[in-house]
Amino acid sequence: MCGIAGLMRLSGVDPEPVTDMLRAMRHRGPDDAGIKRLGPTGAPWAALGIRRLSIVDPSGGHQPISDPSGRYWLTFNGEIYNHRRLRQELIADGVELRTHSDSEVLVTLVARLGLRSALERCCGMFSFALADTRERRLWLVRDRMGVKPLYWTQRTDGAVVWSSELRGLRVASPRTPSLSLDALRAYLLFEYIPEPWSIFEDHHKLEPGTWLEIDDQGLRHHRWWTPPVPEAGHDGDLGRWARSVHGALQVAVRQRLDADVPVAALLSGGLD
């Protein structure tokens, strides 16, 4: 678990609140921290920050991290489970990587393939902020099923603020947000608050399988993944389906145990 945070406004933004946002989320990443300011020294147009819990490449995976050219900068919360295979493919194509981290694999894939193609190649759970320094564009991205959280808001001064937790947004907001009555009703009805709402007005949860793109044209939402719909009329054989599920679970568990630090597995279950 890591925590990411940041601010963006093309006309210039004060990056100092990012430090306070990260301090409020220190519990999410006690191992490392970093902030990258993008743009002129006196008037950056974006600041990306992270509190890191080191799982893959603990000593070399410092963030924010860029692709080899330095055009793209990334803060990443999560894990790319197939990063070792993707790394081998990049090296086979002549790419020289500086670390063994999955975050460097991701930002390098984006630089070579574009965001959509890179996401389609990645198996994992994640939320991240990605900045293109050449086009002065930023993407906020969430994984297919929304495992990793990401909140965002736009302040009255036009700055877009994002954080892994609502408390991060509140640190960077000049005023106390109002309670969202729609979100409260949804919570009482469903026992959770569905995306894109949060408990506060104008504070949004990025929806699973989507990205938010921000540039000089404004803000645009894009869905990059939709759950597949099974074809009707193909019931199949129960034994074959059982073997398929068993095999898929074996692969999924093996992928999630791949780490550079000791890991533990917790099984929640029981007898109904």
Side-chain angles (χ1 to χ4, degrees):
M1 179 175 67
C2 300
I4 63 173
L7 304 102
M8 174 186 176
R9 188 177 64 171
L10 292 178
S11 60
V13 68
D14 177 10
E16 292 306 317
V18 178
T19 301
D20 296 329
M21 296 167 74
L22 297 181
R23 187 178 297 114
M25 296 190 294
R26 189 183 187 283
H27 57 281
R28 298 186 66 92
D31 298 327
D32 192 15
I35 297 176
K36 177 64 178 180
R37 295 166 174 83
L38 303 176
T41 302
W45 56 270
L48 283 64
I50 183 168
R51 291 290 325 189
R52 184 174 179 235
L53 177 67
S54 303
I55 302 296
V56 177
D57 193 9
S59 61
H62 178 76
Q63 296 184 50
I65 192 168
S66 71
D67 73 291
S69 73
R71 173 178 175 178
Y72 295 95
W73 282 88
L74 173 76
T75 49
F76 175 81
N77 171 29
E79 186 174 352
I80 305 297
Y81 298 128
N82 60 336
H83 73 97
R84 299 190 193 276
R85 178 174 60 81
L86 295 172
R87 171 183 302 279
Q88 292 172 353
E89 294 175 2
L90 288 170
I91 293 174
D93 286 340
V95 179
E96 295 185 6
L97 299 173
R98 300 154 293 171
T99 75
H100 295 282
S101 67
D102 50 350
S103 54
E104 186 182 19
V105 169
L106 174 58
V107 73
T108 304
L109 279 176
V110 171
R112 291 175 65 85
L113 306 176
L115 180 57
R116 171 180 279 279
S117 294
L119 288 171
E120 291 173 350
R121 297 286 303 279
C122 291
C123 172
M125 57 173 183
F126 47 79
S127 62
F128 62 83
L130 175 75
D132 180 348
T133 60
R134 182 185 302 173
E135 301 291 338
R136 297 213 308 167
R137 178 176 293 121
L138 182 123
W139 295 271
L140 302 177
V141 186
R142 199 168 177 205
D143 62 56
R144 293 170 176 85
M145 301 303 295
V147 177
K148 291 299 183 180
L150 190 57
Y151 296 85
W152 69 277
T153 188
Q154 187 168 26
R155 299 189 313 203
T156 55
D157 65 356
V160 176
V161 187
W162 64 91
S163 174
S164 294
E165 295 186 6
L166 277 173
R167 72 179 69 190
L169 295 187
R170 295 192 63 183
V171 167
S173 299
R175 58 183 178 83
T176 302
S178 302
L179 192 70
S180 170
L181 295 181
D182 288 335
L184 180 59
R185 294 187 189 100
Y187 180 77
L188 295 175
L189 180 62
F190 303 120
E191 298 186 356
Y192 83 105
I193 299 175
E195 293 88 353
W197 292 335
S198 80
I199 195 62
F200 298 120
E201 288 283 359
D202 302 321
H203 287 49
H204 317 283
K205 284 188 287 187
L206 191 64
E207 295 186 57
T210 69
W211 73 55
L212 176 65
E213 184 175 359
I214 309 133
D215 57 17
D216 57 5
Q217 302 299 313
L219 283 68
R220 299 179 300 282
H221 287 274
H222 179 83
R223 177 162 295 280
W224 65 270
W225 185 81
T226 302
V229 179
E231 295 183 13
H234 296 278
D235 296 332
D237 175 75
L238 181 59
R240 181 170 65 85
W241 282 112
R243 289 190 295 273
S244 296
V245 171
H246 183 255
L249 283 173
Q250 286 182 312
V251 171
V253 171
R254 189 178 300 113
Q255 287 180 329
R256 284 153 180 78
L257 293 177
D258 182 13
D260 295 330
V261 296
V263 297
L266 301 178
L267 175 64
S268 174
L271 296 176
D272 295 329

